[in-house]
PDB file of all heavy atoms in Angstrom:
ATOM      1  N   GLU L   4       2.010  13.616  -9.698  1.00 96.00           N
ATOM      2  CA  GLU L   4       1.413  12.298  -9.817  1.00 96.00           C
ATOM      3  C   GLU L   4       2.351  11.309 -10.510  1.00 96.00           C
ATOM      4  O   GLU L   4       2.447  10.152 -10.126  1.00 96.00           O
ATOM      5  CB  GLU L   4       0.112  12.413 -10.638  1.00 96.00           C
ATOM      6  CG  GLU L   4      -0.581  11.059 -10.849  1.00 96.00           C
ATOM      7  CD  GLU L   4      -1.739  11.175 -11.845  1.00 96.00           C
ATOM      8  OE1 GLU L   4      -2.464  12.174 -11.788  1.00 96.00           O
ATOM      9  OE2 GLU L   4      -1.881  10.218 -12.645  1.00 96.00           O
ATOM     10  N   LEU L   7       5.242  10.204  -8.151  1.00 98.00           N
ATOM     11  CA  LEU L   7       4.739   9.239  -7.172  1.00 98.00           C
ATOM     12  C   LEU L   7       4.434   7.912  -7.880  1.00 98.00           C
ATOM     13  O   LEU L   7       4.781   6.835  -7.338  1.00 98.00           O
ATOM     14  CB  LEU L   7       3.440   9.780  -6.529  1.00 98.00           C
ATOM     15  CG  LEU L   7       2.805   8.895  -5.443  1.00 98.00           C
ATOM     16  CD1 LEU L   7       3.743   8.741  -4.249  1.00 98.00           C
ATOM     17  CD2 LEU L   7       1.459   9.513  -5.007  1.00 98.00           C
ATOM     18  N   LYS L   8       3.849   7.947  -9.013  1.00 97.00           N
ATOM     19  CA  LYS L   8       3.478   6.748  -9.749  1.00 97.00           C
ATOM     20  C   LYS L   8       4.682   5.893 -10.083  1.00 97.00           C
ATOM     21  O   LYS L   8       4.680   4.645  -9.927  1.00 97.00           O
ATOM     22  CB  LYS L   8       2.731   7.131 -11.036  1.00 97.00           C
ATOM     23  CG  LYS L   8       2.190   5.925 -11.811  1.00 97.00           C
ATOM     24  CD  LYS L   8       1.339   6.441 -12.971  1.00 97.00           C
ATOM     25  CE  LYS L   8       0.658   5.290 -13.707  1.00 97.00           C
ATOM     26  NZ  LYS L   8      -0.221   5.783 -14.762  1.00 97.00           N
ATOM     27  N   VAL L  11       5.789   4.074  -6.826  1.00 97.00           N
ATOM     28  CA  VAL L  11       4.796   3.081  -6.407  1.00 97.00           C
ATOM     29  C   VAL L  11       4.797   1.867  -7.304  1.00 97.00           C
ATOM     30  O   VAL L  11       4.836   0.705  -6.820  1.00 97.00           O
ATOM     31  CB  VAL L  11       3.381   3.716  -6.313  1.00 97.00           C
ATOM     32  CG1 VAL L  11       2.374   2.621  -6.003  1.00 97.00           C
ATOM     33  CG2 VAL L  11       3.361   4.784  -5.236  1.00 97.00           C
ATOM     34  N   LEU L  12       4.761   2.062  -8.574  1.00 97.00           N
ATOM     35  CA  LEU L  12       4.655   0.922  -9.513  1.00 97.00           C
ATOM     36  C   LEU L  12       5.931   0.078  -9.509  1.00 97.00           C
ATOM     37  O   LEU L  12       5.893  -1.127  -9.684  1.00 97.00           O
ATOM     38  CB  LEU L  12       4.327   1.409 -10.923  1.00 97.00           C
ATOM     39  CG  LEU L  12       2.959   2.073 -11.093  1.00 97.00           C
ATOM     40  CD1 LEU L  12       2.663   2.352 -12.589  1.00 97.00           C
ATOM     41  CD2 LEU L  12       1.838   1.240 -10.473  1.00 97.00           C
ATOM     42  N   TRP L  59      -7.711   5.803 -13.053  1.00 95.00           N
ATOM     43  CA  TRP L  59      -7.186   5.844 -11.706  1.00 95.00           C
ATOM     44  C   TRP L  59      -5.799   6.511 -11.748  1.00 95.00           C
ATOM     45  O   TRP L  59      -5.054   6.318 -12.728  1.00 95.00           O
ATOM     46  CB  TRP L  59      -7.067   4.445 -11.109  1.00 95.00           C
ATOM     47  CG  TRP L  59      -8.350   3.724 -10.936  1.00 95.00           C
ATOM     48  CD1 TRP L  59      -8.862   2.718 -11.688  1.00 95.00           C
ATOM     49  CD2 TRP L  59      -9.323   3.969  -9.923  1.00 95.00           C
ATOM     50  NE1 TRP L  59     -10.086   2.338 -11.212  1.00 95.00           N
ATOM     51  CE2 TRP L  59     -10.408   3.083 -10.103  1.00 95.00           C
ATOM     52  CE3 TRP L  59      -9.440   4.865  -8.831  1.00 95.00           C
ATOM     53  CZ2 TRP L  59     -11.534   3.033  -9.326  1.00 95.00           C
ATOM     54  CZ3 TRP L  59     -10.541   4.844  -8.046  1.00 95.00           C
ATOM     55  CH2 TRP L  59     -11.576   3.931  -8.245  1.00 95.00           C
ATOM     56  N   ASP L  60      -5.406   7.189 -10.679  1.00 96.00           N
ATOM     57  CA  ASP L  60      -4.092   7.791 -10.653  1.00 96.00           C
ATOM     58  C   ASP L  60      -2.976   6.704 -10.684  1.00 96.00           C
ATOM     59  O   ASP L  60      -2.119   6.706 -11.529  1.00 96.00           O
ATOM     60  CB  ASP L  60      -3.907   8.669  -9.430  1.00 96.00           C
ATOM     61  CG  ASP L  60      -4.668   9.983  -9.538  1.00 96.00           C
ATOM     62  OD1 ASP L  60      -5.204  10.285 -10.638  1.00 96.00           O
ATOM     63  OD2 ASP L  60      -4.783  10.727  -8.541  1.00 96.00           O
ATOM     64  N   ILE L  61      -3.031   5.823  -9.664  1.00 97.00           N
ATOM     65  CA  ILE L  61      -2.028   4.788  -9.548  1.00 97.00           C
ATOM     66  C   ILE L  61      -2.720   3.500  -9.182  1.00 97.00           C
ATOM     67  O   ILE L  61      -3.298   3.397  -8.099  1.00 97.00           O
ATOM     68  CB  ILE L  61      -0.966   5.165  -8.463  1.00 97.00           C
ATOM     69  CG1 ILE L  61      -0.336   6.536  -8.802  1.00 97.00           C
ATOM     70  CG2 ILE L  61       0.107   4.111  -8.385  1.00 97.00           C
ATOM     71  CD1 ILE L  61       0.487   7.083  -7.672  1.00 97.00           C
ATOM     72  N   SER L  62      -2.616   2.509 -10.020  1.00 97.00           N
ATOM     73  CA  SER L  62      -3.378   1.269  -9.851  1.00 97.00           C
ATOM     74  C   SER L  62      -2.415   0.086  -9.721  1.00 97.00           C
ATOM     75  O   SER L  62      -1.689  -0.250 -10.658  1.00 97.00           O
ATOM     76  CB  SER L  62      -4.278   1.092 -11.099  1.00 97.00           C
ATOM     77  OG  SER L  62      -5.150   0.019 -10.917  1.00 97.00           O
ATOM     78  N   THR L  63      -2.397  -0.568  -8.546  1.00 98.00           N
ATOM     79  CA  THR L  63      -1.547  -1.730  -8.303  1.00 98.00           C
ATOM     80  C   THR L  63      -2.413  -2.986  -8.111  1.00 98.00           C
ATOM     81  O   THR L  63      -3.643  -2.883  -8.033  1.00 98.00           O
ATOM     82  CB  THR L  63      -0.690  -1.526  -7.052  1.00 98.00           C
ATOM     83  OG1 THR L  63      -1.448  -1.812  -5.883  1.00 98.00           O
ATOM     84  CG2 THR L  63      -0.166  -0.093  -6.978  1.00 98.00           C
ATOM     85  N   PHE L  66      -4.155  -2.476  -4.413  1.00 97.00           N
ATOM     86  CA  PHE L  66      -4.770  -1.212  -3.988  1.00 97.00           C
ATOM     87  C   PHE L  66      -4.625  -0.178  -5.075  1.00 97.00           C
ATOM     88  O   PHE L  66      -3.878  -0.346  -6.029  1.00 97.00           O
ATOM     89  CB  PHE L  66      -4.118  -0.714  -2.672  1.00 97.00           C
ATOM     90  CG  PHE L  66      -2.625  -0.456  -2.801  1.00 97.00           C
ATOM     91  CD1 PHE L  66      -2.128   0.721  -3.245  1.00 97.00           C
ATOM     92  CD2 PHE L  66      -1.699  -1.463  -2.441  1.00 97.00           C
ATOM     93  CE1 PHE L  66      -0.762   0.957  -3.377  1.00 97.00           C
ATOM     94  CE2 PHE L  66      -0.349  -1.252  -2.562  1.00 97.00           C
ATOM     95  CZ  PHE L  66       0.140  -0.025  -3.005  1.00 97.00           C
ATOM     96  N   ILE L  67      -5.372   0.899  -4.860  1.00 97.00           N
ATOM     97  CA  ILE L  67      -5.315   2.060  -5.761  1.00 97.00           C
ATOM     98  C   ILE L  67      -4.924   3.280  -4.942  1.00 97.00           C
ATOM     99  O   ILE L  67      -5.381   3.432  -3.775  1.00 97.00           O
ATOM    100  CB  ILE L  67      -6.663   2.300  -6.432  1.00 97.00           C
ATOM    101  CG1 ILE L  67      -6.984   1.182  -7.435  1.00 97.00           C
ATOM    102  CG2 ILE L  67      -6.755   3.672  -7.096  1.00 97.00           C
ATOM    103  CD1 ILE L  67      -8.440   1.074  -7.815  1.00 97.00           C
ATOM    104  N   ILE L  68      -4.051   4.098  -5.463  1.00 98.00           N
ATOM    105  CA  ILE L  68      -3.699   5.373  -4.801  1.00 98.00           C
ATOM    106  C   ILE L  68      -4.205   6.535  -5.634  1.00 98.00           C
ATOM    107  O   ILE L  68      -3.977   6.583  -6.837  1.00 98.00           O
ATOM    108  CB  ILE L  68      -2.218   5.520  -4.553  1.00 98.00           C
ATOM    109  CG1 ILE L  68      -1.735   4.565  -3.454  1.00 98.00           C
ATOM    110  CG2 ILE L  68      -1.850   6.974  -4.164  1.00 98.00           C
ATOM    111  CD1 ILE L  68      -0.243   4.669  -3.122  1.00 98.00           C
TER     112      ILE L  68
END
Side-chain angles (χ1 to χ4, degrees):
E4 179 189 321
L7 182 64
K8 186 174 185 176
V11 172
L12 295 187
W59 296 105
D60 286 351
I61 304 169
S62 188
T63 81
F66 60 85
I67 290 163
I68 288 182

